[in-house]
Amino acid sequence: MTIPDRFPAVLAATAMGVYLLLVVGATTSLTDAAAACGGWPACSGGTGLPSSPDGWIALGHRLTAVVVGFLVVTSVALAWREGASRRIRLALAGALLLYPVQAAIGALVAVGALPAALGPLHLLLGVIIFGAVLAGLAWRLEDETGDDDAPVDFDLGTDDLPPVEDAPAPEIPTATLPRLRATAAAYFRLMKPRLMWLLCLVAAAAMALAGGRGFTPYVVGATLVGGALSIGASGTFNHVFERDIDKRMQRTSDRPLATDLVSVRNAFAFGVSLAAVSLGLFWSVNPLTAALGLVAIVFYSVVYTLVLKPNTVQNTVIGGAAGALPALIGWAAVTGTVGGGGLLLALVIFLWTPAHFYNLALAYKDDYERGGFPMMPVVRGETATRRHIVWYLGATLVAAVALAAAADPLGALYAAVGVALGAVFLWTVVRLHYEQTEAAAFRAFHASNAYLGLLLFAVVFDALVI
C-alpha cells in the first residue's frame, strides 16, 4: 500500500508520539523521576547525566518531547504546504500553540516550581493535543479517500428478505458416531467460543487489578468458569433468536440452528442450563457478581440481539456494554463492589468495541444488508464508518491512559504494549482508508484483537508480577 503523500504518515507518527508521552507520563512517577534527575532540562551534576534509573526516565521523557515537538511543527508546516482544509489547519495550529504550554507546566511541576496538584492539567493538555492531531489525521483521510456512499433509505424490515444465494450447503453426517461428533461440535459452536477467551481475559484483568484479599484461587476459578458459561448461554440464545436471519446470510447460513443440526427446543434448553450453572457459580462468589452476570446474559441475548441489532445503527456502540460487563464482573468478584478501576477498564472495552467491530461490518457489509441489519456501513456508508473507527480508536487510547493513571500496578509493559500495538492498530486503519478492501478490513479487525488481547495480558502481568 502506498500513501499518495507523506502528510497522513507524518500525522499518524505525530499522534502516536504524543500518545507515547501521555502513556509514559501516566504509567511512571515523573515527578519523582525529575527529582532524581535534579535539574531541568539536563540533570544536575558534572556531566548533566542521570545517576539513577528514575533520572534516566525523566531525561528520556524530555528528549522524546523534543522529537515529538519537531513532529508537531512539521505537521503544521505540511498542513499549509499541502493545502489542507481549514479545519485541519486550525486543529494542528491549536496543537502547536498548546504544546509548549503543556511542556512548561510539566517541567515546572516536575522540579517543584508549581504545585503537584497541577499535574493532571499537564496530562489533560496532552490529551487535547493528541485529540487535535488525531482529528487532523481523520479529516485528512476523509478528504483524500471519502465519498458520499451512504444509502438514502434503508428498510429495517426483515420479513421479505430474499434467501441467501450461493450459500454453502453443510454436510450433515447420517452415520451414528459421525453424527454425534457433529452434534457435539454444533453445541460447542452455539457457545461462540471465539468470544470466550477475550471476554474471560477482560474479567481476569479486572480481578488482577483489584487484587487484595478477595483475589483467591476459588474466586478466580469460579468467576472465569462462570464467565465462560455465561458467554456460552448468551451465544446460544443469540443463535436461537437469529436462526431465521442466519439462513439468509452467507457467513451464518451454516450455523447449527440454520441447518437444523440442533433443534430450537434443545438449543434453548442448553442455553438455560448454561445460564443456571453460570449464575450458580457467580452466586457462590457473591450476590453482586451473580446480579451482574444475569444483566450480561439478558443484555446480550435480549437487549442487543432483539432490540438494538435489528433496529438502530448505534447497535454496535450501545452493544459494547455487553463486552464491558465482564470487567465489572471481575472487579465485583474480588471486591464485592463496582470500583473505579473496573469502571475504567469497562470504558476501555466499551470504546474499543466500535473501533473493532466496524471493521468486520465493512468486510461483511453486503451480508448484513442482506440480513436486514442497520449496520453503520449499510446505513451511513463506508466513509462514515472509517471515520468512526478513527474516532473510537482515539477514544480507546485515551481511556487506556486514564486507566494507567488511576491503576498503580500498571507500568512499563502496559506502556510498551499500549503504544506499540496502538500504533499498529492505527496504521492498519490508515491503510484501510486507502485500500478499502475486504482484506484491509480484516487486517484492521485482527490488529484490534491483538491490541486489546495483549493489552489485557500486560494488565495481568503488571498487576501480578511487577
Side-chain angles (χ1 to χ4, degrees):
M1 188 272 299
T2 302
I3 295 178
D5 64 62
R6 59 183 175 176
F7 189 28
V10 172
L11 287 175
T14 304
M16 292 313 301
V18 175
Y19 187 68
L20 170 62
L21 295 175
L22 284 174
V23 173
V24 172
T27 55
T28 63
S29 178
L30 290 178
T31 300
D32 293 340
C37 187
W40 196 93
C43 295
S44 61
T47 63
L49 295 177
S51 57
S52 68
D54 283 345
W56 280 108
I57 291 175
L59 185 60
H61 187 77
R62 296 167 191 173
L63 293 174
T64 303
V66 173
V67 175
V68 174
F70 173 77
L71 287 173
V72 173
V73 172
T74 303
S75 297
V76 174
L78 283 175
W80 262 262
R81 178 181 174 180
E82 300 292 332
S85 65
R86 185 172 181 267
R87 61 181 180 176
I88 295 175
R89 286 182 289 169
L90 286 175
L92 296 179
L96 180 61
L97 291 174
L98 285 177
Y99 194 83
V101 177
Q102 190 254 2
I105 292 175
L108 293 173
V109 169
V111 299
L114 286 177
L118 290 179
L121 177 60
H122 172 69
L123 190 62
L124 175 61
L125 289 177
V127 170
I128 294 173
I129 294 168
F130 172 72
V133 176
L134 193 71
L137 174 61
W139 289 331
R140 182 64 176 189
L141 292 172
E142 185 175 1
D143 290 344
E144 288 190 356
T145 67
D147 53 42
D148 188 14
D149 57 356
V152 177
D153 295 302
F154 179 74
D155 184 7
L156 295 179
T158 60
D159 294 335
D160 300 323
L161 291 174
V164 66
E165 298 175 0
D166 302 325
E171 295 183 3
I172 302 176
T174 55
T176 302
L177 186 57
R179 173 83 181 194
L180 288 175
R181 290 175 179 171
T183 302
Y187 276 100
F188 184 67
R189 189 179 177 190
L190 286 176
M191 298 168 66
K192 295 197 172 182
R194 292 181 181 178
L195 296 178
M196 284 184 181
W197 74 271
L198 189 59
L199 294 180
C200 285
L201 187 54
V202 172
M207 288 188 286
L209 272 180
R213 290 180 296 177
F215 189 73
T216 65
Y218 177 80
V219 167
V220 173
T223 303
L224 292 181
V225 174
L229 294 179
S230 69
I231 295 164
S234 302
T236 300
F237 293 139
N238 175 267
H239 279 266
V240 171
F241 295 144
E242 291 187 347
R243 62 188 182 277
D244 292 331
I245 297 176
D246 283 344
K247 296 177 182 180
R248 301 184 176 115
M249 299 174 61
Q250 290 276 10
R251 63 183 291 260
T252 59
S253 60
D254 64 341
R255 283 180 171 177
L257 271 72
T259 58
D260 298 323
L261 186 58
V262 178
S263 69
V264 174
R265 177 181 178 180
N266 289 348
F268 189 81
F270 182 61
V272 170
S273 300
L274 291 175
V277 176
S278 168
L279 295 177
L281 287 170
F282 283 153
W283 185 267
S284 72
V285 174
N286 60 58
L288 178 59
T289 302
L292 290 171
L294 178 60
V295 169
I297 294 172
V298 173
F299 187 89
Y300 184 82
S301 304
V302 179
V303 177
Y304 173 70
T305 301
L306 296 180
V307 179
L308 297 174
K309 190 175 179 181
N311 293 303
T312 173
V313 70
Q314 297 299 328
N315 50 26
T316 301
V317 176
I318 304 172
L325 279 167
L328 303 183
I329 291 171
W331 190 276
V334 172
T335 66
T337 64
V338 177
L343 288 170
L344 282 174
L345 182 59
L347 180 63
V348 172
I349 308 303
F350 180 80
L351 295 171
W352 167 87
T353 301
H356 162 75
F357 194 80
Y358 280 159
N359 295 290
L360 196 65
L362 284 169
Y364 289 120
K365 175 186 174 183
D366 294 340
D367 221 14
Y368 280 119
E369 187 172 10
R370 186 200 309 275
F373 292 119
M375 308 305 289
M376 178 69 73
V378 177
V379 178
R380 302 283 176 81
E382 296 184 16
T383 297
T385 303
R386 292 192 297 269
R387 180 175 65 247
H388 280 78
I389 291 173
V390 176
W391 291 131
Y392 279 107
L393 170 54
T396 302
L397 295 176
V398 171
V401 169
L403 178 63
D408 291 336
L410 300 182
L413 182 62
Y414 180 85
V417 169
V419 174
L421 272 296
V424 172
F425 189 4
L426 178 60
W427 187 242
T428 61
V429 171
V430 172
R431 293 185 66 178
L432 173 63
H433 277 74
Y434 288 97
E435 294 183 10
Q436 300 182 17
T437 63
E438 183 178 304
F442 276 118
R443 185 189 301 118
F445 175 81
H446 293 310
S448 67
N449 267 331
Y451 166 78
L452 185 63
L454 291 176
L455 191 74
L456 293 172
F457 272 118
V459 169
V460 173
F461 184 87
D462 275 352
L464 297 183
V465 179
I466 302 301

